[in-house]
Amino acid sequence: MLGSVRGRLTLLTIALVLTAALAATLLIVDAYRSHRASTERQISETAGAMSLAIDGKAREVTGVLQVLALSPHLKAGDLAAFESQARRAVPHDDKWVVVADLDGQQLVNTLAKPGEPLPRMRLPADIDLRERETYVSDLLQGMVEKGRVIAFATLAEGPGGRPYILAIAMRPSAPNAVIAEQRLPPGWYGTLVDRKGVVIARNVEAERFEGVSASPDILERIRKSPEGVGDSVSLDGRETLVAHRRSPVTGWTFLVGVPRAEVSGSLSRSLIMTFVLCLALLALGALLTVWFARGVTRAVESLEGAAEAMGRGGAAPRLATGLRETDAVAEALHGASLKLKAREAELRQLNDTLEARVVERSRELEETTERLVQARKVEALGRLTGGVAHDFNNLLTAVIGNLDLLGKRIKDEALEKYVANARQAAQRGAKLTAQLLAFARRQRLEPEPLDVNAVIEGLRVLFDSALGGATRVRAELSPDPLWAMADRTQLELVVLNLAINARDAMPEGGEVLIETARERVSGPDPRLEAPAPGDYVRITVADTGSGMTPEVLARIWEPFFTTKPVGAGSGLGLPQVLGVVKQLGGGIRVDTAPGCGARFHVYLPVAAPAEKAHPEPVEAAPVDFAGLKVLLVDDDRDVRSATADLLRDLGSEPEEAVDAADALARLDAGAEPRLVIMDHAMPGLTGAEAAQRIRVSHPALPVLLISGYMDAEAVARTWAGPVLAKPFDKQQLAARIAAALQAAQTGGD
Ligand SMILES: Nc1ncnc2c1ncn2[C@@H]1O[C@H](COP(=O)(O)OP(=O)(O)OP(=O)(O)O)[C@@H](O)[C@H]1O
Ligand SMILES: [Mg+2]
């Protein structure tokens, strides 16, 4: 029950109504208390006032009594004269004057008819008479008057000092008249009782209750205290609130009573009204509760419906239930359901495209892996090729050196031919190693800003002789010079290689188009040979020949891959081209399809224009080698001795050192060569490092560094001085020595 909206509302209503009822009851009880207190005060005051009024009348009577007591007629014993005086003084017929002797024998009674014999009075037991003092009686049985009477009495002096009892008697109607004068509010009781508590006078039903004794609780209260208020029962048997006041003058007590119903009536009426009102409120509350609860329940049920709709995957509707809170919740549900639906749709779409995306990613991954494997392969191949070529080069250096020496000594013509053949073969081997090292990107390059257009123009004569009659070369060069960073000799080789491939692709002859332009490459290209994003000078070599299948295209960069007949192609052309271009910081793109020709685009990094044309290499002045002291440093014994023999053959005097440390030690020990010739690749200190030290310790001593293809790059990075590339023959050695000595003399490198 308490779990429902109706239950809680009912509880709330009951709690509110009960609280209100409690508050009303407390207020009513408080009002009753103050009402009763004020009634008590009122009746007490009224009792006091009544008592005072009775006292006033008593004093009047006492005054008259005292005056009559002093009457000379009485003293003289002239009772007749006294009687007429008394009749004048007390004219009222409900009051009369009595004179009696101390035995009670009446002598004068103004109530009796003249001459009527007067009875003897029975004196009350408590009578206490004194001269000049008034005794007030309780209610007495009259003697002459047959009804009840009250009397005021005193002692008076008769003839010869004889004491008489002088009294004024009266019927209870006298005090009744006094009470009536006071006009008590209707319903109130006013009762005068004597010292014994017997009723003397009463404002209502005086005759009925005259002589009746007041209730014992009232008597008890009167006895205890001269005044007070309390509950009692009236003589006619009604519940009453009674106040009493005893008069010190007469000893009588005046009682004022109010029916209790009059005091508490308002209380019970208010309580009943409150009760009825509470019942009515409860009923109204119950009705309102049912009504409100039904409204709330309906709103909540609509919410439930909305939530269920949402649960089924639909949109929760907007609601107007009349309750702000539920409408807000419905709005939130509506928003949430729309979002949910959108999210679901997204998810579904994502799910649908998932497969396609997985396939796409897998393909990308495969391609990347393929490319990576390819790159590793090329790299490994490069390392292998480079290593073999390096050692091969050392051998060739020794072979060529020795053939040179042999050639000089032989005078036999037939033998000279053998030597010439051997030297030619060795030179071919050197060319092959050069190609291999180019592919391995280990070759020594001398990049400089070159106008690519000028380089191609310079190749024209060579094209004509190299390509043969059926193939024409057409150049479409950009009108402005195009400056690129490149090595002149190697660039010429690249263009020539591509042109020869183009010729080979057109056996029937045709046109080779060479085009140059500036081009910006944007966006990354994952292909190994492609250029990185940036600004380039592009050289395109295009033919209209056989073109390539994708399978061929995929392998053209592999060394020794060729489709040409044995002996016609080595398969090293394109690998060398790519090696050079990549080493220069560029890249290559190829457009081709079978039967549609091929276009090779070579990209070279853009360079700032050279400030002046490259100075023509100055012919080195002839050097006198005779007696030239040279310190020759090489860890390879064969190469060292071959080089030493060449030097000796030139006429110089070589001193051999086995490594860099040996060379430095010899210099320190006081050796004074004109020149140091030092191999670069040596265990311990490299040639370049040793050369740097020599430059510091012997600044005037020139050093010529011999570099194999393998270390061309490392040498270029660490050594700016003269270099002799392996393999070399006697002429090349002589030329480099001359250049190194001249540079040292002119102060440059
Ligand atoms: N312009 C082209 N048109 C069609 N196929 C080409 C073209 N250029 C190269 N190829 C293909 O690429 C292969 C490899 O070329 P690459 O230059 O490396 O070696 P080669 O020309 O066969 O021999 P080499 O250049 O060493 O004499 C060629 O055998 C040929 O199949
Ligand atoms: Mg080729």
Side-chain angles (χ1 to χ4, degrees), residues 19 165 182 191 212 215 350 470 485 538 607 627 695:
T19 312
I165 298 174
Q182 297 305 312
T191 309
V212 174
S215 57
L350 222 64
M485 212 51 183
R538 171 171 57 79
R695 195 174 259 199

Side-chain angles (χ1 to χ4, degrees), residues 497 501 564 573:
N497 249 307
N501 277 353
K564 291 168 191 171

Side-chain angles (χ1 to χ4, degrees), residues 501 505 543 546-548 556 561-564 569-575 600:
N501 277 353
D543 62 63
S546 59
M548 283 174 273
I556 56 173
F561 172 78
T562 178
T563 56
K564 291 168 191 171
S570 68
L572 280 174
L574 287 180
F600 280 76

Side-chain angles (χ1 to χ4, degrees), residues 153-370:
T154 188
L155 277 184
E157 200 182 316
R162 202 172 130 205
Y164 287 138
I165 298 174
L166 174 65
I168 295 176
M170 58 189 86
R171 297 193 187 88
S173 55
N176 267 335
V178 176
I179 293 173
E181 266 170 34
Q182 297 305 312
R183 297 188 191 287
L184 286 176
W188 286 32
Y189 303 111
T191 309
L192 181 67
V193 298
D194 66 13
R195 284 187 293 271
K196 291 200 192 75
V198 174
V199 174
I200 302 169
R202 200 162 186 270
N203 65 336
V204 221
E205 295 185 288
E207 273 153 40
R208 179 175 159 204
F209 294 109
E210 193 185 284
V212 174
S213 180
S215 57
D217 59 321
I218 296 272
L219 293 181
E220 179 62 22
R221 278 196 335 235
I222 292 171
R223 197 180 56 75
K224 269 190 183 155
S225 151
E227 58 185 294
V229 189
D231 288 322
S232 186
V233 179
S234 73
L235 292 173
D236 47 3
R238 286 210 258 167
E239 298 270 334
T240 350
L241 179 66
V242 179
H244 73 271
R245 176 73 68 92
R246 192 169 67 213
S247 158
V249 178
T250 58
W252 299 337
T253 302
F254 202 90
L255 302 172
V256 174
V258 182
R260 277 266 294 286
E262 210 162 288
V263 184
S264 59
S266 62
L267 173 72
S268 49
R269 254 199 322 280
S270 304
L271 283 178
I272 287 166
M273 282 255 297
T274 307
F275 182 69
V276 169
L277 203 70
C278 283
L279 277 184
L281 277 177
L282 272 177
L284 185 71
L287 275 177
L288 285 177
T289 298
V290 169
W291 184 61
F292 277 139
R294 191 174 301 157
V296 173
T297 310
R298 248 188 237 138
V300 171
E301 275 166 8
S302 329
L303 270 188
E304 244 175 65
E308 269 165 18
M310 194 174 157
R312 284 194 300 275
R318 286 202 165 91
L319 293 179
T321 59
L323 279 182
R324 226 189 5 251
E325 290 81 354
T326 43
D327 287 357
V329 173
E331 185 61 41
L333 277 180
H334 177 71
S337 67
L338 290 188
K339 264 187 211 149
L340 208 66
K341 281 182 76 126
R343 198 89 32 92
E344 245 170 48
E346 234 169 67
L347 215 64
R348 206 170 310 125
Q349 201 194 350
L350 222 64
N351 223 11
D352 291 347
T353 56
L354 189 63
E355 214 165 304
R357 279 183 300 135
V358 167
V359 169
E360 167 77 0
R361 281 284 150 79
S362 306
R363 198 181 54 74
E364 278 174 21
L365 199 69
E366 246 168 54
E367 274 177 25
T368 311
T369 314
E370 174 92 354

Side-chain angles (χ1 to χ4, degrees), residues 57-223:
K57 288 294 170 193
R59 275 205 194 88
E60 256 175 50
V61 175
T62 309
V64 174
L65 194 65
Q66 294 300 337
V67 171
L68 287 177
L70 296 175
S71 167
H73 301 302
L74 202 59
K75 205 164 183 178
D78 183 357
L79 290 175
F82 175 78
E83 188 174 335
S84 63
Q85 182 190 6
R87 278 185 198 279
R88 277 198 309 279
V90 185
H92 263 281
D93 50 312
D94 60 346
K95 290 194 200 86
W96 60 97
V97 180
V98 176
V99 179
D101 62 17
L102 289 184
D103 294 336
Q105 180 56 56
Q106 294 189 26
L107 306 175
V108 176
N109 188 328
T110 56
L111 186 66
K113 292 180 190 87
E116 186 185 338
L118 294 174
R120 188 180 158 158
M121 297 189 299
R122 251 179 290 111
L123 293 180
D126 66 338
I127 194 160
D128 170 27
L129 289 170
R130 268 175 254 161
E131 211 169 329
R132 300 211 166 270
E133 293 264 336
T134 308
Y135 160 77
V136 181
S137 80
D138 286 331
L139 194 65
L140 303 170
Q141 182 55 49
M143 307 292 292
V144 178
E145 160 68 29
K146 292 304 177 216
R148 292 187 183 82
V149 299
I150 44 174
F152 292 77
T154 188
L155 277 184
E157 200 182 316
R162 202 172 130 205
Y164 287 138
I165 298 174
L166 174 65
I168 295 176
M170 58 189 86
R171 297 193 187 88
S173 55
N176 267 335
V178 176
I179 293 173
E181 266 170 34
Q182 297 305 312
R183 297 188 191 287
L184 286 176
W188 286 32
Y189 303 111
T191 309
L192 181 67
V193 298
D194 66 13
R195 284 187 293 271
K196 291 200 192 75
V198 174
V199 174
I200 302 169
R202 200 162 186 270
N203 65 336
V204 221
E205 295 185 288
E207 273 153 40
R208 179 175 159 204
F209 294 109
E210 193 185 284
V212 174
S213 180
S215 57
D217 59 321
I218 296 272
L219 293 181
E220 179 62 22
R221 278 196 335 235
I222 292 171
R223 197 180 56 75

